[in-house]
Amino acid sequence: METIALLRDKRVILGVCGSIAAYKAVDLASKLTQAGAQIDVVLTAAAQRFVSPLTFQALSGRPVYSDLWSAGSASGLPSHIAHIGLAEEADLLLVAPATANTLAKLAHGFADDLLSITALAISCPLLIAPAMDGNMYDSPAVQDNCETLRRRGAHLIEPEEGRFASGMVGTGRLPETETLLGHIRRVIGRDGELASHKLVVTAGGTRESIDPVRFITNRSTGKQGYAIAQAAVDAGADVVLISSAAGLPTPIGATLVAVDSAESMREAVLANVADSSALIMAAAVADYRPQTVSEQKIKKSDDSLNLPLTRTADILMAVKAQRARTGYPMIAVGFAAESENLVENASDKLQSKGLDLLIANDITATDAGFAADANRVVVLDMDGGLHHIDRTSKAEIGAYIIERIGGLLD
Ligand code: CTP
Protein backbone atom coordinates (compact mmCIF):
# COMPACT_ATOMS: atom_id res chain seq x y z
CA MET A 1 0.00 0.00 0.00
CA GLU A 2 1.33 3.46 -0.88
CA THR A 3 1.35 6.31 1.59
CA ILE A 4 -1.65 8.66 1.67
CA ALA A 5 -0.57 12.30 1.51
CA LEU A 6 -3.29 13.40 3.95
CA LEU A 7 -2.25 10.83 6.57
CA ARG A 8 1.51 11.27 6.36
CA ASP A 9 2.79 11.95 9.89
CA LYS A 10 -0.73 12.40 11.27
CA ARG A 11 -1.08 11.21 14.89
CA VAL A 12 -3.98 8.82 15.30
CA ILE A 13 -4.92 7.31 18.64
CA LEU A 14 -6.55 3.97 17.89
CA GLY A 15 -8.70 2.85 20.82
CA VAL A 16 -9.57 -0.85 20.63
CA CYS A 17 -12.30 -2.40 22.80
CA GLY A 18 -13.17 -5.99 23.69
CA SER A 19 -15.15 -7.18 20.70
CA ILE A 20 -14.59 -10.13 18.39
CA ALA A 21 -14.10 -7.44 15.71
CA ALA A 22 -10.84 -6.43 17.44
CA TYR A 23 -9.02 -8.59 14.89
CA LYS A 24 -10.10 -6.09 12.20
CA ALA A 25 -8.41 -3.31 14.20
CA VAL A 26 -5.15 -5.20 13.68
CA ASP A 27 -5.46 -4.84 9.90
CA LEU A 28 -6.50 -1.21 10.31
CA ALA A 29 -3.42 -0.50 12.47
CA SER A 30 -1.24 -2.06 9.79
CA LYS A 31 -2.81 -0.12 6.89
CA LEU A 32 -2.73 3.18 8.80
CA THR A 33 0.96 2.68 9.51
CA GLN A 34 1.65 1.82 5.86
CA ALA A 35 -0.31 4.93 4.84
CA GLY A 36 2.20 7.01 6.81
CA ALA A 37 0.25 7.75 10.01
CA GLN A 38 1.78 7.44 13.46
CA ILE A 39 -0.57 5.42 15.54
CA ASP A 40 -0.78 5.15 19.29
CA VAL A 41 -2.85 2.10 20.17
CA VAL A 42 -4.81 2.12 23.42
CA LEU A 43 -6.32 -1.21 24.43
CA THR A 44 -9.05 -1.66 27.00
CA ALA A 45 -8.68 -4.55 29.44
CA ALA A 46 -11.34 -6.51 27.54
CA ALA A 47 -9.58 -5.89 24.19
CA GLN A 48 -6.52 -7.71 25.51
CA ARG A 49 -8.60 -10.87 25.86
CA PHE A 50 -9.02 -10.83 22.06
CA VAL A 51 -5.69 -9.44 20.81
CA SER A 52 -2.30 -9.01 22.37
CA PRO A 53 -0.56 -5.63 22.76
CA LEU A 54 2.47 -7.22 21.09
CA THR A 55 0.53 -7.66 17.83
CA PHE A 56 -0.18 -3.93 17.61
CA GLN A 57 3.30 -3.02 18.79
CA ALA A 58 4.90 -5.09 16.04
CA LEU A 59 2.65 -3.56 13.36
CA SER A 60 2.84 0.06 14.47
CA GLY A 61 6.46 -0.03 15.58
CA ARG A 62 5.41 1.96 18.63
CA PRO A 63 4.55 1.22 22.24
CA VAL A 64 0.98 0.14 22.97
CA TYR A 65 -0.86 1.58 25.93
CA SER A 66 -3.35 -0.02 28.19
CA ASP A 67 -2.70 0.72 31.83
CA LEU A 68 -3.88 3.98 33.31
CA TRP A 69 -1.80 3.35 36.41
CA SER A 70 1.61 2.58 34.96
CA ALA A 71 2.38 6.04 33.65
CA GLY A 72 6.03 6.92 33.27
CA SER A 73 8.93 6.19 31.01
CA ALA A 74 9.24 2.60 32.22
CA SER A 75 5.99 1.70 30.44
CA GLY A 76 6.90 3.75 27.41
CA LEU A 77 4.13 6.26 27.95
CA PRO A 78 4.62 9.58 26.17
CA SER A 79 4.28 11.71 29.28
CA HIS A 80 4.27 11.23 33.03
CA ILE A 81 0.52 11.81 32.74
CA ALA A 82 -0.33 9.31 30.03
CA HIS A 83 -3.70 10.47 28.73
CA ILE A 84 -2.59 14.10 28.51
CA GLY A 85 0.55 13.15 26.61
CA LEU A 86 -1.45 11.05 24.15
CA ALA A 87 -4.25 13.57 23.73
CA GLU A 88 -2.02 16.62 23.25
CA GLU A 89 -0.47 15.54 19.97
CA ALA A 90 -3.40 13.69 18.42
CA ASP A 91 -5.03 14.60 15.10
CA LEU A 92 -7.76 12.00 15.63
CA LEU A 93 -9.05 9.62 18.28
CA LEU A 94 -10.61 6.63 16.57
CA VAL A 95 -12.40 4.03 18.67
CA ALA A 96 -12.74 0.86 16.57
CA PRO A 97 -14.36 -1.40 17.46
CA ALA A 98 -16.35 0.49 20.11
CA THR A 99 -18.34 -1.82 22.40
CA ALA A 100 -21.64 -0.96 24.06
CA ASN A 101 -19.76 -0.56 27.36
CA THR A 102 -17.23 1.93 25.98
CA LEU A 103 -19.97 3.85 24.11
CA ALA A 104 -21.80 4.22 27.41
CA LYS A 105 -18.64 5.42 29.15
CA LEU A 106 -17.89 7.96 26.41
CA ALA A 107 -21.48 9.20 26.32
CA HIS A 108 -21.61 9.70 30.09
CA GLY A 109 -18.09 10.95 30.72
CA PHE A 110 -16.81 8.01 32.74
CA ALA A 111 -13.05 8.04 33.18
CA ASP A 112 -12.01 4.71 34.65
CA ASP A 113 -9.51 3.45 32.08
CA LEU A 114 -6.89 4.93 29.76
CA LEU A 115 -9.19 5.06 26.71
CA SER A 116 -12.15 6.76 28.40
CA ILE A 117 -9.95 9.25 30.22
CA THR A 118 -8.04 10.06 27.01
CA ALA A 119 -11.36 10.68 25.22
CA LEU A 120 -12.10 13.41 27.77
CA ALA A 121 -8.69 15.04 27.32
CA ILE A 122 -8.56 15.34 23.51
CA SER A 123 -9.19 18.47 21.48
CA CYS A 124 -9.02 16.59 18.14
CA PRO A 125 -12.07 14.96 16.45
CA LEU A 126 -13.51 11.75 17.89
CA LEU A 127 -14.48 9.04 15.39
CA ILE A 128 -16.33 6.02 16.72
CA ALA A 129 -17.05 2.71 14.98
CA PRO A 130 -19.54 0.74 17.12
CA ALA A 131 -19.52 -3.04 16.73
CA MET A 132 -21.62 -5.50 18.69
CA ASP A 133 -23.47 -8.76 18.33
CA GLY A 134 -27.16 -9.60 18.10
CA ASN A 135 -29.70 -6.89 18.71
CA MET A 136 -27.46 -4.86 21.01
CA TYR A 137 -26.84 -2.03 18.53
CA ASP A 138 -30.59 -1.49 18.04
CA SER A 139 -31.27 -1.32 21.78
CA PRO A 140 -32.60 2.04 23.01
CA ALA A 141 -29.71 2.42 25.48
CA VAL A 142 -27.04 2.05 22.79
CA GLN A 143 -28.96 4.23 20.32
CA ASP A 144 -29.39 6.97 22.94
CA ASN A 145 -25.67 6.89 23.72
CA CYS A 146 -24.82 7.15 20.00
CA GLU A 147 -27.20 10.10 19.69
CA THR A 148 -25.63 11.84 22.71
CA LEU A 149 -22.16 11.43 21.21
CA ARG A 150 -23.31 12.69 17.79
CA ARG A 151 -24.95 15.71 19.39
CA ARG A 152 -21.64 16.56 21.04
CA GLY A 153 -19.85 16.50 17.69
CA ALA A 154 -18.45 12.97 17.60
CA HIS A 155 -18.44 11.27 14.19
CA LEU A 156 -20.07 7.83 14.19
CA ILE A 157 -19.52 5.15 11.59
CA GLU A 158 -22.68 3.16 10.95
CA PRO A 159 -22.02 -0.55 11.53
CA GLU A 160 -22.86 -2.92 8.70
CA GLU A 161 -25.48 -5.60 8.37
CA GLY A 162 -24.47 -9.21 8.24
CA ARG A 163 -23.90 -12.39 10.16
CA PHE A 164 -22.44 -12.16 13.67
CA ALA A 165 -20.10 -14.55 15.41
CA SER A 166 -23.16 -15.75 17.36
CA GLY A 167 -24.84 -16.83 14.13
CA MET A 168 -27.48 -14.10 14.39
CA VAL A 169 -28.00 -11.70 11.50
CA GLY A 170 -28.42 -7.97 12.01
CA THR A 171 -26.73 -4.56 12.10
CA GLY A 172 -23.58 -4.33 14.19
CA ARG A 173 -20.62 -5.52 12.14
CA LEU A 174 -17.46 -3.41 12.02
CA PRO A 175 -16.91 -2.26 8.39
CA GLU A 176 -13.84 -3.43 6.52
CA THR A 177 -10.54 -1.53 6.68
CA GLU A 178 -11.06 0.31 3.35
CA THR A 179 -14.34 1.78 4.63
CA LEU A 180 -12.81 2.74 7.98
CA LEU A 181 -9.90 4.43 6.17
CA GLY A 182 -12.42 6.37 4.05
CA HIS A 183 -14.11 7.71 7.20
CA ILE A 184 -10.74 8.59 8.75
CA ARG A 185 -9.80 10.56 5.61
CA ARG A 186 -13.11 12.41 5.58
CA VAL A 187 -12.80 13.47 9.22
CA ILE A 188 -9.09 14.40 9.15
CA GLY A 189 -9.48 16.28 5.85
CA ARG A 190 -12.68 18.14 6.66
CA ASP A 191 -11.04 21.50 7.44
CA GLY A 192 -8.69 21.26 4.46
CA GLU A 193 -7.91 23.82 1.80
CA LEU A 194 -11.12 23.20 -0.15
CA ALA A 195 -13.51 23.14 2.83
CA SER A 196 -16.81 24.81 1.85
CA HIS A 197 -16.06 24.40 -1.88
CA LYS A 198 -18.27 22.16 -4.02
CA LEU A 199 -16.35 20.14 -6.61
CA VAL A 200 -17.99 18.15 -9.38
CA VAL A 201 -15.97 15.25 -10.79
CA THR A 202 -16.98 13.01 -13.70
CA ALA A 203 -15.59 9.52 -14.21
CA GLY A 204 -15.84 6.48 -16.44
CA GLY A 205 -16.63 5.74 -20.03
CA THR A 206 -20.24 6.50 -21.00
CA ARG A 207 -22.46 3.70 -22.34
CA GLU A 208 -24.57 4.33 -25.44
CA SER A 209 -27.37 1.80 -25.89
CA ILE A 210 -27.82 -0.11 -29.15
CA ASP A 211 -30.66 -2.36 -27.97
CA PRO A 212 -31.79 -3.81 -24.61
CA VAL A 213 -28.63 -5.96 -24.28
CA ARG A 214 -25.86 -4.06 -26.08
CA PHE A 215 -24.09 -0.75 -25.79
CA ILE A 216 -21.06 1.11 -27.12
CA THR A 217 -18.46 2.15 -24.60
CA ASN A 218 -14.67 2.67 -24.33
CA ARG A 219 -11.70 1.49 -22.30
CA SER A 220 -12.00 4.04 -19.48
CA THR A 221 -12.49 2.41 -16.07
CA GLY A 222 -13.02 5.58 -14.04
CA LYS A 223 -10.01 5.01 -11.75
CA GLN A 224 -8.45 8.43 -12.38
CA GLY A 225 -11.76 10.22 -11.78
CA TYR A 226 -12.35 8.32 -8.52
CA ALA A 227 -8.80 9.15 -7.38
CA ILE A 228 -9.49 12.84 -8.03
CA ALA A 229 -12.77 12.61 -6.09
CA GLN A 230 -10.91 11.02 -3.15
CA ALA A 231 -8.23 13.72 -3.25
CA ALA A 232 -10.98 16.37 -3.21
CA VAL A 233 -12.60 14.74 -0.14
CA ASP A 234 -9.13 14.69 1.50
CA ALA A 235 -8.94 18.45 0.87
CA GLY A 236 -12.27 18.98 2.65
CA ALA A 237 -14.43 19.68 -0.45
CA ASP A 238 -18.09 18.76 -0.89
CA VAL A 239 -17.71 16.30 -3.74
CA VAL A 240 -20.31 15.23 -6.29
CA LEU A 241 -19.05 12.30 -8.35
CA ILE A 242 -20.98 11.86 -11.60
CA SER A 243 -20.00 8.42 -12.77
CA SER A 244 -20.71 5.89 -15.47
CA ALA A 245 -18.02 3.56 -14.10
CA ALA A 246 -18.91 0.17 -12.66
CA GLY A 247 -17.53 -1.63 -9.65
CA LEU A 248 -15.43 1.09 -8.01
CA PRO A 249 -16.08 2.05 -4.37
CA THR A 250 -17.37 5.60 -3.99
CA PRO A 251 -14.98 7.61 -1.80
CA ILE A 252 -16.56 8.02 1.64
CA GLY A 253 -17.93 11.55 1.89
CA ALA A 254 -18.53 11.97 -1.86
CA THR A 255 -22.09 11.98 -3.26
CA LEU A 256 -22.47 9.60 -6.17
CA VAL A 257 -24.70 10.44 -9.14
CA ALA A 258 -24.83 7.33 -11.30
CA VAL A 259 -25.33 7.95 -15.03
CA ASP A 260 -24.84 5.90 -18.17
CA SER A 261 -25.09 7.79 -21.48
CA ALA A 262 -23.37 11.01 -22.55
CA GLU A 263 -26.77 12.70 -22.47
CA SER A 264 -27.53 11.66 -18.88
CA MET A 265 -24.03 12.78 -17.87
CA ARG A 266 -24.58 16.15 -19.59
CA GLU A 267 -27.82 16.74 -17.68
CA ALA A 268 -26.24 15.78 -14.35
CA VAL A 269 -23.17 17.96 -14.95
CA LEU A 270 -25.13 21.07 -15.96
CA ALA A 271 -27.41 20.76 -12.94
CA ASN A 272 -24.56 20.17 -10.48
CA VAL A 273 -22.06 22.79 -11.64
CA ALA A 274 -24.62 25.58 -11.17
CA ASP A 275 -23.28 26.33 -7.66
CA SER A 276 -19.86 24.69 -7.84
CA SER A 277 -16.32 25.96 -7.45
CA ALA A 278 -14.84 23.53 -9.96
CA LEU A 279 -15.69 20.87 -12.51
CA ILE A 280 -13.17 18.15 -13.36
CA MET A 281 -14.26 16.26 -16.51
CA ALA A 282 -12.25 13.06 -16.18
CA ALA A 283 -14.96 10.97 -17.88
CA ALA A 284 -14.38 9.49 -21.33
CA VAL A 285 -17.56 10.73 -22.98
CA ALA A 286 -18.71 9.01 -26.16
CA ASP A 287 -18.57 11.30 -29.20
CA TYR A 288 -21.15 9.21 -31.09
CA ARG A 289 -24.20 7.20 -30.11
CA PRO A 290 -26.50 4.95 -32.18
CA GLN A 291 -29.01 7.08 -34.05
CA THR A 292 -31.88 4.98 -32.72
CA VAL A 293 -32.06 2.55 -29.83
CA SER A 294 -33.82 -0.63 -30.88
CA GLU A 295 -36.59 -1.57 -28.45
CA GLN A 296 -36.11 -5.25 -29.22
CA LYS A 297 -32.88 -7.21 -29.28
CA ILE A 298 -31.40 -6.94 -32.77
CA LYS A 299 -31.39 -10.43 -34.34
CA LYS A 300 -28.54 -11.57 -36.55
CA SER A 301 -29.48 -11.94 -40.21
CA ASP A 302 -27.10 -10.66 -42.90
CA ASP A 303 -23.33 -11.03 -42.89
CA SER A 304 -22.84 -7.40 -41.98
CA LEU A 305 -24.76 -4.87 -39.96
CA ASN A 306 -24.70 -1.12 -40.42
CA LEU A 307 -25.27 0.88 -37.31
CA PRO A 308 -25.81 4.59 -38.07
CA LEU A 309 -24.24 6.79 -35.38
CA THR A 310 -24.93 10.38 -34.51
CA ARG A 311 -22.89 12.96 -32.55
CA THR A 312 -23.46 13.43 -28.83
CA ALA A 313 -23.41 16.90 -27.30
CA ASP A 314 -20.01 18.09 -26.06
CA ILE A 315 -20.49 18.49 -22.30
CA LEU A 316 -17.56 20.85 -21.77
CA MET A 317 -18.79 23.13 -24.57
CA ALA A 318 -22.21 23.27 -22.87
CA VAL A 319 -20.49 24.04 -19.55
CA LYS A 320 -18.47 26.81 -21.23
CA ALA A 321 -21.71 28.48 -22.40
CA GLN A 322 -23.36 28.11 -18.96
CA ARG A 323 -20.25 29.45 -17.24
CA ALA A 324 -20.19 32.51 -19.53
CA ARG A 325 -23.77 33.27 -18.43
CA THR A 326 -23.60 32.43 -14.73
CA GLY A 327 -19.96 32.42 -13.64
CA TYR A 328 -20.22 28.77 -12.52
CA PRO A 329 -18.30 26.54 -12.32
CA MET A 330 -15.58 28.96 -11.25
CA ILE A 331 -12.88 26.59 -12.59
CA ALA A 332 -13.17 24.05 -15.41
CA VAL A 333 -10.65 21.23 -15.84
CA GLY A 334 -10.66 18.84 -18.79
CA PHE A 335 -8.76 15.78 -19.90
CA ALA A 336 -7.41 14.94 -23.33
CA ALA A 337 -6.89 11.39 -24.50
CA GLU A 338 -4.47 11.53 -27.40
CA SER A 339 -2.64 8.95 -29.46
CA GLU A 340 -0.44 11.47 -31.35
CA ASN A 341 0.73 15.11 -31.10
CA LEU A 342 -0.13 15.09 -27.39
CA VAL A 343 0.69 18.67 -26.43
CA GLU A 344 -0.56 20.35 -29.65
CA ASN A 345 -3.91 18.55 -29.61
CA ALA A 346 -4.30 19.08 -25.87
CA SER A 347 -3.53 22.76 -26.19
CA ASP A 348 -6.25 23.11 -28.87
CA LYS A 349 -8.77 21.45 -26.55
CA LEU A 350 -7.79 23.75 -23.65
CA GLN A 351 -8.48 26.79 -25.85
CA SER A 352 -11.63 25.62 -27.61
CA LYS A 353 -13.31 24.27 -24.48
CA GLY A 354 -12.37 27.33 -22.40
CA LEU A 355 -10.54 25.38 -19.69
CA ASP A 356 -8.32 26.57 -16.84
CA LEU A 357 -6.35 23.30 -16.75
CA LEU A 358 -6.08 20.34 -19.04
CA ILE A 359 -4.62 16.96 -18.18
CA ALA A 360 -3.24 15.25 -21.28
CA ASN A 361 -2.85 11.47 -21.46
CA ASP A 362 -0.87 9.58 -24.06
CA ILE A 363 -3.21 6.63 -24.55
CA THR A 364 -0.63 4.61 -26.48
CA ALA A 365 1.43 4.00 -23.31
CA THR A 366 1.24 0.37 -22.26
CA ASP A 367 2.43 0.88 -18.67
CA ALA A 368 -0.02 3.61 -17.66
CA GLY A 369 -3.47 5.00 -18.42
CA PHE A 370 -6.58 2.90 -19.11
CA ALA A 371 -7.40 0.44 -16.30
CA ALA A 372 -3.92 0.83 -14.73
CA ASP A 373 -3.32 2.22 -11.25
CA ALA A 374 -0.57 4.40 -12.71
CA ASN A 375 -0.68 7.29 -15.11
CA ARG A 376 1.73 9.62 -16.89
CA VAL A 377 0.38 13.03 -17.86
CA VAL A 378 1.18 16.53 -19.02
CA VAL A 379 -0.74 19.32 -17.30
CA LEU A 380 -1.38 22.43 -19.43
CA ASP A 381 -2.69 25.70 -18.09
CA MET A 382 -4.26 28.74 -19.75
CA ASP A 383 -1.03 30.76 -19.42
CA GLY A 384 0.81 28.27 -21.61
CA GLY A 385 2.42 26.51 -18.62
CA LEU A 386 3.36 22.83 -19.10
CA HIS A 387 4.01 20.42 -16.26
CA HIS A 388 5.14 16.87 -17.00
CA ILE A 389 4.30 14.23 -14.40
CA ASP A 390 6.26 11.06 -14.93
CA ARG A 391 4.66 7.67 -14.31
CA THR A 392 3.09 7.70 -10.84
CA SER A 393 -0.08 6.54 -9.11
CA LYS A 394 -3.45 7.94 -10.10
CA ALA A 395 -3.82 8.96 -6.43
CA GLU A 396 -0.72 11.19 -6.67
CA ILE A 397 -1.98 12.72 -9.92
CA GLY A 398 -5.37 13.30 -8.30
CA ALA A 399 -3.70 15.06 -5.36
CA TYR A 400 -1.67 17.24 -7.78
CA ILE A 401 -4.79 18.29 -9.73
CA ILE A 402 -6.62 19.18 -6.51
CA GLU A 403 -3.62 21.20 -5.32
CA ARG A 404 -3.61 23.15 -8.62
CA ILE A 405 -7.35 23.82 -8.29
CA GLY A 406 -6.74 25.06 -4.73
CA GLY A 407 -4.14 27.46 -6.12
CA LEU A 408 -6.53 28.74 -8.81
CA LEU A 409 -9.37 29.25 -6.29
CA ASP A 410 -7.04 31.28 -4.07
N1 CTP B 1 -15.80 15.70 -23.43
C1 CTP B 1 -17.05 16.24 -23.23
N2 CTP B 1 -18.09 15.87 -24.01
C2 CTP B 1 -17.92 15.04 -25.06
C3 CTP B 1 -16.64 14.51 -25.30
C4 CTP B 1 -15.60 14.86 -24.47
O1 CTP B 1 -17.21 17.02 -22.30
N3 CTP B 1 -18.97 14.72 -25.81
C5 CTP B 1 -14.69 16.10 -22.54
C6 CTP B 1 -13.95 14.94 -21.90
O2 CTP B 1 -14.52 14.61 -20.66
C7 CTP B 1 -12.56 15.52 -21.70
C8 CTP B 1 -12.42 16.49 -22.87
O3 CTP B 1 -13.75 16.77 -23.32
O4 CTP B 1 -12.43 16.24 -20.51
C9 CTP B 1 -11.64 15.93 -24.02
O5 CTP B 1 -12.12 14.65 -24.38
P1 CTP B 1 -11.42 13.84 -25.55
O6 CTP B 1 -12.15 12.56 -25.73
O7 CTP B 1 -9.95 13.80 -25.35
O8 CTP B 1 -11.61 14.78 -26.80
P2 CTP B 1 -12.85 15.17 -27.67
O9 CTP B 1 -13.28 16.54 -27.24
O10 CTP B 1 -13.89 14.12 -27.65
O11 CTP B 1 -12.15 15.29 -29.10
P3 CTP B 1 -11.52 14.12 -30.01
O12 CTP B 1 -12.29 12.87 -29.70
O13 CTP B 1 -11.75 14.60 -31.39
O14 CTP B 1 -10.08 14.01 -29.65
Side-chain angles (χ1 to χ4, degrees):
M1 185 175 154
E2 67 171 338
T3 60
I4 296 171
L6 174 73
L7 299 182
R8 258 171 238 152
D9 300 322
K10 287 288 182 331
R11 295 282 301 258
V12 176
I13 305 173
L14 172 60
V16 181
C17 307
S19 150
I20 185 65
Y23 78 91
K24 291 188 183 170
V26 172
D27 185 50
L28 179 64
S30 165
K31 296 286 168 22
L32 274 172
T33 305
Q34 290 174 46
Q38 279 193 29
I39 58 167
D40 289 308
V41 178
V42 176
L43 298 178
T44 64
Q48 292 172 72
R49 296 193 163 238
F50 291 89
V51 274
S52 124
L54 190 61
T55 310
F56 286 104
Q57 194 174 324
L59 288 170
S60 68
R62 299 168 61 78
V64 168
Y65 311 107
S66 53
D67 188 357
L68 178 60
W69 303 110
S70 65
S73 55
S75 58
L77 285 164
S79 144
H80 65 295
I81 302 176
H83 57 289
I84 304 297
L86 283 170
E88 226 166 44
E89 303 281 322
D91 295 295
L92 177 74
L93 169 56
L94 166 65
V95 186
T99 53
N101 186 44
T102 293
L103 279 174
K105 286 201 218 176
L106 298 181
H108 296 280
F110 281 58
D112 60 353
D113 64 5
L114 189 57
L115 179 56
S116 53
I117 201 168
T118 303
L120 293 177
I122 54 165
S123 48
C124 64
L126 171 60
L127 178 61
I128 304 172
M132 54 205 75
D133 204 325
N135 298 322
M136 292 170 71
Y137 182 67
D138 295 326
S139 71
V142 169
Q143 284 301 313
D144 279 358
N145 288 335
C146 288
E147 194 41 47
T148 301
L149 287 161
R150 253 186 229 112
R151 204 180 58 242
R152 291 203 203 113
H155 305 265
L156 273 91
I157 301 174
E158 195 59 29
E160 292 180 351
E161 251 185 77
R163 191 178 171 282
F164 300 114
S166 65
M168 285 180 76
V169 173
T171 301
R173 285 175 58 86
L174 187 69
E176 297 304 321
T177 301
E178 277 307 310
T179 308
L180 297 174
L181 276 174
H183 285 280
I184 293 167
R185 294 172 80 154
R186 184 178 56 83
V187 172
I188 290 186
R190 78 203 186 295
D191 293 328
E193 200 188 348
L194 295 186
S196 79
H197 284 287
K198 176 179 173 184
L199 262 63
V200 180
V201 184
T202 66
T206 58
R207 287 185 297 273
E208 309 301 327
S209 290
I210 299 172
D211 69 11
V213 286
R214 305 176 177 103
F215 54 76
I216 300 174
T217 189
N218 56 62
R219 291 184 193 281
S220 168
T221 56
K223 282 185 179 174
Q224 183 62 76
Y226 276 63
I228 295 166
Q230 178 65 69
V233 171
D234 285 356
D238 286 334
V239 180
V240 176
L241 175 57
I242 300 174
S243 170
S244 54
L248 293 177
T250 305
I252 305 258
T255 305
L256 179 74
V257 179
V259 295
D260 58 0
S261 64
E263 183 51 25
S264 61
M265 183 172 279
R266 190 186 67 87
E267 284 170 15
V269 168
L270 291 180
N272 274 286
V273 294
D275 56 351
S276 75
S277 297
L279 165 69
I280 302 124
M281 274 298 295
V285 186
D287 293 323
Y288 291 91
R289 61 175 170 77
Q291 216 157 44
T292 54
V293 181
S294 171
E295 269 184 41
Q296 305 301 331
K297 184 184 168 204
I298 299 173
K299 292 291 192 183
K300 62 176 168 296
S301 52
D302 301 336
D303 284 348
S304 65
L305 170 72
N306 286 320
L307 200 62
L309 302 178
T310 185
R311 282 283 296 272
T312 57
D314 190 298
I315 301 174
L316 277 175
M317 294 306 272
V319 167
K320 183 182 170 185
Q322 180 164 313
R323 186 184 180 192
R325 276 198 323 275
T326 65
Y328 291 95
M330 287 151 69
I331 306 287
V333 180
F335 273 68
E338 304 295 345
S339 56
E340 56 183 355
N341 303 329
L342 182 72
V343 173
E344 297 88 301
N345 287 341
S347 175
D348 287 348
K349 281 180 192 167
L350 178 103
Q351 300 300 334
S352 64
K353 300 195 184 212
L355 304 172
D356 300 274
L357 281 182
L358 186 133
I359 323 302
N361 269 309
D362 174 358
I363 54 168
T364 61
T366 51
D367 62 345
F370 289 132
D373 289 321
N375 215 352
R376 181 190 290 108
V377 299
V378 183
V379 181
L380 292 79
D381 62 37
M382 56 197 299
D383 301 324
L386 276 184
H387 179 75
H388 290 260
I389 304 182
D390 205 4
R391 188 172 180 277
T392 185
S393 68
K394 288 183 173 172
E396 288 286 342
I397 291 176
Y400 176 80
I401 295 167
I402 291 303
E403 201 184 302
R404 288 292 296 267
I405 291 172
L408 289 168
L409 287 169
D410 273 350

